[in-house]
Amino acid sequence: MLFATAVFGVWLSIWAVILVSKWLAVTSFGITLLALIGFATRDSD
């Protein structure tokens, strides 16, 4: 689930560049950042 979220964030950032949308870029950065934090803090059982 976290991997899919990170991929979605990267996909949004590509569209942000294409559409030159700063709000889309901010949203995609936030989604990707949250996914990376989730990867870093998840339990490695």
Side-chain angles (χ1 to χ4, degrees), residues 1-2 4 7-8 11 24 33 36 43:
M1 187 66 176
L2 285 173
V7 170
F8 180 69
W11 182 76
L24 194 58
L33 183 64
L36 290 175
D43 292 332

Side-chain angles (χ1 to χ4, degrees), residues 6-45:
V7 170
F8 180 69
V10 171
W11 182 76
L12 273 182
S13 67
I14 292 169
W15 277 104
V17 170
I18 291 171
L19 299 175
V20 190
S21 172
K22 68 177 179 180
W23 294 114
L24 194 58
V26 169
T27 304
S28 66
F29 179 74
I31 290 172
T32 307
L33 183 64
L34 289 175
L36 290 175
I37 290 171
F39 276 127
T41 59
R42 71 180 180 169
D43 292 332
S44 57
D45 291 332

